[in-house]
Amino acid sequence: MLIGLLLNGCLGKQTNEKQQAVEPIKPSTQVIEQTAVSEPESTNQDRNSNIVTPINKRNSVHPTDSNALDQFIKKIQPQDEHLQKLLKEDLDRDGKPEYVLAFGLEKEEIDNIFVIREDVGYHIIGKLEDPVIVVHLNTDVKIMKLDQTDKKFIVVYSIGDGGAYSEGFSIYALENNHIKSINSDFPNATGQGIRTLKDANHDGVFESVDYYEFSDTQEHTVVVYQKYDGTGPKKMELLYKNKSKKFVYPTDPKAVIQNYLEVDYLMKWFDLPFPEMDQITDPAVRQTYDFEGVIDFSGLEYLAYSGLDLSFDEISSDDNRKVYLVKDNSLEEKAKKEITFTLEKQSGKWRIMGIELKDKL
């Protein structure tokens, strides 16, 4: 079930923050790009809320004519790959610069990343291990400051290379002459979804921000925030991606039932209150029901979700009261229980006044 996978839930997101394309660089004409990110230089508006996405501040690009560096790059360059990016920075703050070399077959496709240093000649400190387990492309690498300390991190951005869109990142640091993986946030569980790195509340500390989007009745999006290294408490926010950007009360009583079933499932998934539950149900019926043996909710995890596969048998009906026997068409033969919903019309809106989950006769 996706619940467990999401909780365990490398290296992309469908936001306005686009990674810049980098033309392959031939070793004979090297470019060293120094990056030092502290405060955002400008911002882009996030597509789902009023959260702003920091734009990385960069120093000017400096050329180098180091023949020794050129020769070392040729020596370690993977076969058929080009040098896509070269970054120079004192990563461990020992007064000596390191170089981050990113190689790939095509631009915006980074396959191998090495960290090197010059002592007596150049040598490799380490290679970044890619923790993403689904098909993906690593599109960019940056050196960034992610909190209010002087510590610098290597950040690799990735997008999915499968059918559904996905985006995420991985963070590394150079500690004690070794490359350490700090955090990787990519939708490995489903291969789709958005994971971003941003200073969401502008306090100088970047957060890992996960977007869980659903194509359910209200088009809910749950946003989960946590410190960039995956430590500390998680904060959650509920958004509505429909045209109204808020809960829209369904006019059809069947849609009210579907809306209720979707939200009941998502509330258990995220342990997050959904305000529409107070409107579409009577307080007397708000208790924990185990619908998963009767209803197949697995489709909710896909953005192509078109609704639960339900059938509604109208047991009784008048202008202000309706009773439905609800079945899942895909599970009807296997389900051992059945659900009955009683709805009443109050102030022109259908509201769930009773739910009965009982064994089949």
Side-chain angles (χ1 to χ4, degrees):
M1 195 44 111
L2 183 60
I3 301 173
L5 291 172
L6 281 170
L7 293 176
N8 293 328
C10 150
L11 289 158
K13 146 185 165 344
Q14 191 179 0
T15 68
N16 293 328
E17 179 180 333
K18 302 294 181 183
Q19 308 307 323
Q20 298 299 319
V22 181
E23 295 295 337
I25 304 169
K26 296 180 180 179
S28 59
T29 55
Q30 296 303 326
V31 174
I32 297 178
E33 181 176 330
Q34 292 184 305
T35 68
V37 178
S38 53
E39 296 297 329
E41 188 173 66
S42 60
T43 60
N44 287 342
Q45 192 71 16
D46 183 87
R47 64 194 185 91
N48 279 330
S49 69
N50 57 1
I51 303 169
V52 292
T53 305
I55 302 299
N56 296 310
K57 182 185 293 183
R58 297 190 172 191
N59 295 337
S60 59
V61 177
H62 302 282
T64 178
D65 57 358
S66 170
N67 185 61
L69 179 59
D70 284 355
Q71 293 304 313
F72 186 78
I73 291 173
K74 289 179 181 179
K75 180 180 177 181
I76 68 171
Q77 183 170 341
Q79 186 176 2
D80 298 327
E81 293 186 13
H82 305 283
L83 181 63
Q84 302 291 347
K85 202 163 188 179
L86 192 160
L87 306 175
K88 178 183 178 182
E89 190 65 66
D90 183 3
L91 295 171
D92 55 3
R93 295 167 293 168
D94 65 351
K96 299 178 181 179
E98 285 78 31
Y99 299 83
V100 178
L101 310 177
F103 296 95
L105 295 173
E106 304 287 344
K107 65 178 182 180
E108 296 186 301
E109 292 186 17
I110 297 172
D111 299 308
N112 291 283
I113 302 174
F114 298 93
V115 178
I116 70 171
R117 177 187 292 139
E118 182 183 15
D119 291 322
V120 181
Y122 291 95
H123 68 277
I124 297 175
I125 299 174
K127 179 181 177 182
L128 272 59
E129 298 297 328
D130 191 344
V132 182
I133 62 176
V134 296
V135 179
H136 67 289
L137 296 174
N138 298 330
T139 58
D140 200 6
V141 57
K142 296 181 180 181
I143 296 173
M144 301 177 64
K145 289 176 60 177
L146 300 178
D147 54 27
Q148 295 169 331
T149 71
D150 292 330
K151 193 170 184 178
K152 299 178 180 67
F153 299 88
I154 303 170
V155 181
V156 178
Y157 293 91
S158 308
I159 61 173
D161 195 26
Y165 188 84
S166 55
E167 191 172 329
F169 60 89
S170 295
I171 305 172
Y172 308 83
L174 179 60
E175 296 183 0
N176 299 319
N177 215 36
H178 295 283
I179 303 298
K180 180 180 179 181
S181 177
I182 302 299
N183 189 24
S184 180
D185 196 3
F186 196 89
N188 282 322
T190 62
Q192 65 177 9
I194 308 304
R195 312 288 185 261
T196 69
L197 183 64
K198 63 173 66 175
D199 182 2
N201 57 0
H202 309 293
D203 63 351
V205 179
F206 278 62
E207 285 83 32
S208 172
V209 185
D210 300 354
Y211 295 85
Y212 298 95
E213 299 179 326
F214 303 95
S215 299
D216 58 350
T217 301
Q218 299 296 335
E219 297 184 56
H220 293 106
T221 293
V222 177
V223 188
V224 182
Y225 306 84
Q226 193 173 24
K227 189 180 175 183
Y228 67 86
D229 59 4
T231 64
K234 288 185 178 181
K235 297 180 180 180
M236 289 189 282
E237 179 183 3
L238 177 64
L239 305 175
Y240 295 83
K241 288 192 63 184
N242 55 39
K243 292 181 180 179
S244 300
K245 305 301 180 186
K246 62 182 180 179
F247 169 62
V248 178
Y249 207 106
T251 57
D252 186 342
K254 298 177 184 178
V256 173
I257 294 173
Q258 177 161 314
N259 194 160
Y260 165 82
L261 289 170
E262 293 167 344
V263 170
D264 180 79
Y265 180 71
L266 293 178
M267 285 178 67
K268 294 173 184 174
W269 186 346
F270 289 102
D271 191 23
L272 180 71
F274 283 63
E276 62 250 48
M277 286 299 264
D278 292 334
Q279 300 183 49
I280 63 178
T281 62
D282 183 85
V285 304
R286 276 180 228 138
Q287 55 180 287
T288 301
Y289 297 95
D290 184 12
F291 294 124
E292 292 187 50
V294 188
I295 305 294
D296 179 12
F297 293 98
S298 61
L300 264 174
E301 67 191 60
Y302 300 109
L303 297 179
Y305 166 76
S306 58
L308 301 175
D309 186 12
L310 304 176
S311 63
F312 298 84
D313 296 332
E314 196 171 274
I315 298 174
S316 64
S317 175
D318 58 41
D319 290 344
N320 294 305
R321 188 175 185 276
K322 293 182 182 293
V323 180
Y324 292 98
L325 176 63
V326 178
K327 302 176 183 178
D328 187 304
N329 294 324
S330 63
L331 295 179
E332 185 175 355
E333 298 301 322
K334 296 181 288 184
K336 297 180 179 181
K337 296 180 180 292
E338 55 188 22
I339 316 171
T340 302
F341 286 89
T342 300
L343 295 89
E344 293 182 4
K345 203 169 201 179
Q346 300 177 352
S347 302
K349 297 177 181 178
W350 288 101
R351 196 178 193 199
I352 298 172
M353 304 301 291
I355 301 173
E356 187 177 2
L357 183 63
K358 61 183 180 180
D359 294 332
K360 283 186 176 180
L361 299 176

